[in-house]
Amino acid sequence: MSHPPDKLEDEFPELCRRIHDLEARNGHFERMNREYCRVNRKIHHIEVHQNNLEDEVPDYLKRKRLALKDELLVMLQGV
């Protein structure tokens, strides 16, 4: 696993314009998106370097990434 999607735009290229619009207008969305990217990079780093965590990414990081992604998508969909 060398380069997973780092940003929300990488995972959802069809929503790229909407992501940038929300980042510009909504500080909460922008902060959550930054946190999503940070957590995603941390998970990738652990997966690549296997930081003595029994070759597994801690469940709390995976749950956090999923929760952030879910909330970001709700905001993107305007729900």
Side-chain angles (χ1 to χ4, degrees):
M1 187 185 296
S2 62
H3 181 66
D6 183 36
K7 301 181 205 171
L8 207 54
E9 295 97 322
D10 296 334
E11 277 194 65
F12 303 104
E14 71 280 5
L15 297 175
C16 191
R17 183 181 184 113
R18 178 87 171 122
I19 290 167
H20 291 289
D21 288 347
L22 272 176
E23 281 184 320
R25 296 177 316 158
N26 186 322
H28 179 65
F29 179 88
E30 191 266 334
R31 285 186 299 277
M32 287 185 56
N33 194 20
R34 271 189 300 171
E35 179 67 5
Y36 172 79
C37 292
R38 187 188 70 76
V39 170
N40 211 23
R41 282 191 302 271
K42 188 171 191 171
I43 289 170
H44 178 63
H45 180 78
I46 291 168
E47 288 173 340
V48 169
H49 299 290
Q50 300 172 346
N51 286 338
N52 296 324
L53 294 174
E54 301 175 10
D55 299 333
E56 299 254 346
V57 175
D59 284 340
Y60 76 91
L61 283 175
K62 289 181 179 179
R63 285 191 305 272
K64 183 172 185 165
R65 177 176 61 182
L66 184 59
L68 287 164
K69 185 176 174 180
D70 286 348
E71 191 170 343
L72 287 162
L73 284 174
V74 166
M75 294 171 80
L76 284 167
Q77 295 168 344
V79 176

